[in-house]
Amino acid sequence: MDIRTGELSNPHVIKLLQAHHNDMLKHSPVESVHALDVTKLNQPDITFYSLWVDNKLAGVGALKALNTTHGEVKSMRTSSNYLRQGIAAKLFTHIIKQSTLRGYKKLSLETGTVEAFLPAQKLYTCFGFKECEPFGDYELDPYSLFMSKAL
């Protein structure tokens, strides 16, 4: 297992991010989809991570700096070939560790509310995240569940 920083120009990463965005559009209206494309992930306030197993892309995730003490988890996605193998948990653990190393006091995320998002919600809950009010630029939305954890 290898967690890499960057790799946004890798065709496997681009393909997984595209699949992620397309899947979000199946479950939420376009105005409620907050998944970021490659261009938006390639910003100075975002660190993008990809997890590789035997040089095969297994998952992706990103950490966005909201301010000096608050981070946001973005674009968590496991490749379909690696579902239910602990990839998301390993990547999420890495993102939480990086948040702590940065000195963040709080880590937040937005996920969907429909049944397709239940595995993600369960993962986040297992890591101690709790439902919260919208943060940053988010607004209340029936398709969005906001979660945070004090670090």
Side-chain angles (χ1 to χ4, degrees):
M1 181 187 82
D2 178 28
I3 296 178
R4 304 175 191 169
T5 302
E7 299 284 331
L8 281 164
S9 61
N10 185 301
H12 298 290
V13 169
I14 293 168
K15 185 177 178 182
L16 183 57
L17 288 170
Q18 211 164 26
H20 176 60
H21 188 73
N22 291 341
D23 192 47
M24 298 302 98
L25 289 171
K26 288 181 193 173
H27 303 291
S28 303
V30 67
E31 66 273 8
S32 297
V33 173
H34 302 288
L36 300 178
D37 64 20
V38 172
T39 305
K40 291 180 182 167
L41 285 167
N42 196 16
Q43 299 297 318
D45 61 341
I46 297 177
T47 305
F48 182 81
Y49 303 101
S50 53
L51 191 150
W52 302 79
V53 176
D54 297 327
N55 271 335
K56 293 180 182 154
L57 181 62
V60 296
L63 177 57
K64 179 179 181 177
L66 296 176
N67 58 47
T68 58
T69 61
H70 191 184
E72 178 184 4
V73 178
K74 297 294 295 180
S75 301
M76 286 286 296
R77 184 65 173 210
T78 301
S79 173
S80 59
N81 295 334
Y82 291 91
L83 291 174
R84 289 175 258 317
Q85 295 179 33
I87 298 299
K90 288 175 184 164
L91 197 51
F92 202 49
T93 298
H94 180 77
I95 290 171
I96 293 169
K97 181 180 178 184
Q98 295 305 308
S99 300
T100 303
L101 291 172
R102 290 182 182 190
Y104 292 163
K105 304 295 181 208
K106 185 177 187 180
L107 189 58
S108 300
L109 59 90
E110 180 273 341
T111 190
T113 57
V114 299
E115 186 176 340
F117 295 95
L118 290 178
Q121 292 174 19
K122 183 178 178 183
L123 173 74
Y124 304 142
T125 300
C126 286
F127 275 83
F129 281 72
K130 303 210 181 309
E131 195 170 336
C132 68
E133 293 297 314
F135 57 90
D137 295 332
Y138 291 108
E139 296 179 8
L140 280 176
D141 182 334
Y143 291 92
S144 289
L145 174 67
F146 305 98
M147 302 180 84
S148 284
K149 175 182 177 162
L151 299 176

